[in-house]
Amino acid sequence: MSTDTTRCPCCGQLNQCAQADADAAVSECWCFSATFDAEQLVKLPPEQRNRSCLCPRCAQGLPAETQPAND
């Protein structure tokens, strides 16, 4: 099963990660300096860990947006 690295593994929304959309390493992204809510990371199944970035909302432990994931 392929993982869409541009989507948050918690909520399915776009994760806004510059690295996820790049073919080569990037030097700047919001996630490089963000503090991630440890509870969100622990909730992920092992096969989803370290595969794609959380979105800013989930990284902060905020509830997911209610809009559909058809961005």
Side-chain angles (χ1 to χ4, degrees):
M1 180 172 86
S2 173
T3 299
D4 182 352
T5 59
T6 65
R7 299 247 172 221
C8 174
C10 291
C11 70
Q13 298 295 317
L14 291 174
N15 57 24
Q16 303 171 32
C17 180
Q19 184 62 61
D21 246 353
D23 291 331
V26 296
S27 60
E28 219 174 292
C29 183
W30 72 269
C31 66
F32 293 173
S33 61
T35 301
F36 286 77
D37 179 24
E39 285 186 38
Q40 291 292 79
L41 299 174
V42 173
K43 290 179 189 176
L44 291 175
E47 64 273 7
Q48 288 186 332
R49 294 180 190 164
N50 300 313
R51 300 278 181 220
S52 61
C53 196
L54 301 181
C55 70
R57 291 185 63 80
C58 288
Q60 296 176 57
L62 299 174
E65 292 181 350
T66 55
Q67 70 184 29
N70 295 346
D71 298 340

